[in-house]
Amino acid sequence: MMMQKLRRSGEFIRFGCKSLITSRPNKNSVSRSVSGFVNHYKSKGKLFEPSDGNYYNTELHHPCISRNLGMLLQKYKCFGSSAVSLIQRNPLFSSLDSKDVSYFKEILGEKNVIEDKERLETANTDWMHKYKGSSKLMLLPKNTQEVSQILEYCDSRRLAVVPQGGNTGLVGGSVPVFDEVIINVGLMNKVLAFDEVSGVLVCEAGCILENLATFLDTKGFIMPLDLGAKGSCHIGGNVSTNAGGLRLIRYGSLHGTVLGLEAVTANGNVLDMLGTLRKDNTGYDLKHLFIGSEGSLGIVTKVSILTQPKLSSVNLAFIACKDYLSCQKLLVEAKRNLGEILSAFEFLDNNSMDLVLNHLDGVRNPVSSSENFYILIETTGSDETNDREKLEAFLLKSLEKGLVSDGVIAQDINQASSFWRIREGITEALQKAGAVYKYDLSLPVEEIYNIVNDLRGRLGDLANVMGYGHLGDGNLHLNISAAEYNDKLLGLIEPYVYEWTSKHRGSISAEHGLGVMKANEIFYSKSPETVALMASIKKLLDPKGILNPYKVLPHSLFSH
Amino acid sequence: MKILVAVKRVVDYAVKIRVKPDKTGVETQNVKMSMNPFCEIALEEALRIKEAGFAKEVIAVSIGPSQCVDTLRTGLAMGADRGIHVETNSSFLPLTIAKILKSLADVENPGLIFLGKQAIDDDCNQTGQMVAALLGWPQATFASKVVLDKDKNVATVDREVDGGLETLNVDLPAVITTDLRLNQPRYASLPNIMKAKSKPIKKMTVQDLKVDIKSDIEILEVTEPPKRKSGVMVSSVDELIDKLKNEAHVV
């Protein structure tokens, strides 16, 4: 009740001594454009034209700011969030000066202090080119000690920082909002230890997920998580955002598989929680605070993670289902009949399939005729013959029962990759199709497709609504594809999607995090009391608020 | 007309090959095995010919250990009518395989024999040619297009040769080996996997076929290609010149 009321009235909760945010446009602030698109889209392939006036050019709006405070955001824009909300640069933060840069050069060495415009351009922009900051400095620490020194200094100087890994996030969490100093841990990329008996891997935060997977492959092990961005994303970023991915149904979330970590808090304190034990009930398990807090409480510098033996038999089926109810029933049956070997249960609807077929080269529909829903079922086990027979028997039984209308089983790895290509290619196809509004929702499985249908009814011909995702985990990727971004469309989508999700006790961010995109929407999924406690924890660990500001928690809590 | 298709079970195309420590061959234990991709194309072509009404029966043949039955099941699920498994635990070289296929052709009297142009494990590219020679049949290798003329009893085959295409007419019966661009093989659908379960696979031995398996070739050693050394980043032009002069000795 209370949450609903707060949302309706648009009030913000009070927090501590902080005052309420003002809703008046402030000259030190930049509106979050609802449909703006950064200027740089053209360089990255043929996307689409922004509609006039929908992206910000601050020279038009606040010429005085750039004159007075050169550091201030010139072109921070993002879209995909509720109409007019404001982010203002925290005026308490200092601006970078030449003495700061000299200090960093002293501790990191000349070449690991990046002021080069081109490199900063990349680091300031997220991979979708939705979010863009204007940081003037990127630091590349080589070890925990250097991270600690950087943070201690930034804290004392009140310089805001943004921790960055592979910069593959979808919610603008890994790029600066204004002029935050970027701390990229990419040079901290060493595997520190691997125990072939327990399968525990200890490594630095900047290790690329795929490199870890390759390393483990030679030892006969696999990472407990796998996701589309594996070629670029860092394990530290995966942990900080509690990334989900394709294997979660089998191996669980990072809250279970991460056995320990080392993190540096805002004041430079190094917290050594790098345990390798599966069981350790001594006091509060604080590592969990750093899993999924998106770098707002500390920078993860080392990770110990439980890896799994690589099993030799992997089978994949691509299934067509007539209706969503059949998909649900198939999931229940799959858990019951394939339980011990089930390793993925993904779904996509026909709209998603059409999009992939239209926008990606060399993709064909594995089943002969188009159907309303498609499901990928992957099994992983130790006995090829046995697993295959089991999967076949299960699918044939489902075919007889009418749960499945058609399907194919991959006969070799090449076929399996072409099936995965369809599911994993949706994101890419969406980018090619035009403007896209992305939502990553956790919902009770029986509700997952209702929101897609409701939204289709609501939007009519305005946009193409697609649903796909990790059905086995109750995670829907709701995507709305349109020719271009426009305010009317966004007004119909938000806050409708968030309210719908909240009403069904879902989460507005299942695995992508809140970042800057959804920081203000946290109340749709968490009660004010809970958020207030989060804010207290933030204040305790980062009293000056320098770590990844403007993200995760509502801006109202930290207004000035 | 019957069509005989040879399908080989090989280490999956996408698997990283590892050489056994004793250098006697490559590791196949606990490794994903699949149908040789060229054989898949051969089978697909045979099925299309049957579906177009030019053939009555497609027979898939595999020669090798007991697990070859899985490869044959894949073939049956794609649409082959029956399978023949010549079971053996020895690994044969192309001439022996060709002799076995010849002897099967004598029994089955197919109008066409399809093979992949080569197997991705040994890259021999010999079996099809040898079978044709042993049978005294015409051959069309590296086929990228096959057109049958039922009345004249000939096949017109486009072959991919260096620098272009060559078109051949061969009288049937003939041996055709298939190249990559001939077709895109179908997937094994659930209804067809179900049907395949009741299709027969006949087991035979080399002795049944009275084939002389003596080989004149002995494999001495299988080794990995030399590992490529990783590169180094140089931080300046001077360092590069220094390395080129003093380490690489090229300038």
Side-chain angles (χ1 to χ4, degrees), chain A residues 178-190:
Chain A
F178 297 97
D179 57 340
E180 298 93 279
V181 173
I182 301 165
I183 303 178
N184 188 303
V185 296
L187 295 181
M188 300 173 58
N189 57 5
K190 285 188 285 295

Side-chain angles (χ1 to χ4, degrees), chain A residues 364 392 407 411-413 415, chain B residues 12 40 74 185 187-188 190 197:
Chain A
R364 56 173 166 156
E392 276 180 15
Q411 302 297 319
D412 53 44
I413 298 175
Q415 290 187 5
Chain B
D12 192 284
E40 229 181 322
T74 299
Y187 297 126
L190 289 181
K197 291 198 185 296

Side-chain angles (χ1 to χ4, degrees), chain A residues 22-29 31 62 86:
Chain A
T22 169
S23 60
R24 273 181 296 113
N26 180 294
K27 66 171 185 174
N28 274 15
S29 71
S31 291
H62 314 296
L86 295 161

Side-chain angles (χ1 to χ4, degrees), chain A residues 280-286:
Chain A
D280 176 17
N281 282 356
T282 48
Y284 307 142
D285 201 347
L286 293 180

Side-chain angles (χ1 to χ4, degrees), chain A residues 33-80:
Chain A
S33 160
V34 287
S35 51
F37 202 71
V38 290
N39 302 340
H40 307 269
Y41 63 97
K42 275 180 184 156
S43 61
K44 289 277 171 161
K46 39 179 186 354
L47 285 171
F48 31 81
E49 300 294 325
S51 45
D52 279 349
N54 272 341
Y55 62 94
Y56 264 78
N57 179 337
T58 35
E59 282 174 56
L60 293 176
H61 292 260
H62 314 296
C64 58
I65 297 174
S66 34
R67 195 171 60 239
N68 297 346
L69 300 153
M71 289 301 136
L72 271 186
L73 168 82
Q74 294 272 322
K75 38 193 167 179
Y76 172 70
K77 302 136 212 135
C78 72
F79 56 80

Side-chain angles (χ1 to χ4, degrees), chain A residues 392-408:
Chain A
E392 276 180 15
F394 165 70
L395 291 174
L396 295 179
K397 204 171 86 187
S398 307
L399 189 68
E400 279 167 16
K401 280 197 208 160
L403 286 182
V404 163
S405 52
D406 200 355
V408 292

Side-chain angles (χ1 to χ4, degrees), chain B residues 35-46 78 114 143 178-185:
Chain B
M35 190 190 291
N36 178 39
F38 292 105
C39 300
E40 229 181 322
I41 294 168
L43 180 57
E44 174 67 32
E45 197 61 21
M78 282 173 73
F114 269 108
T178 56
D179 215 326
L180 205 60
R181 271 169 287 272
L182 178 60
N183 60 45
Q184 195 174 28

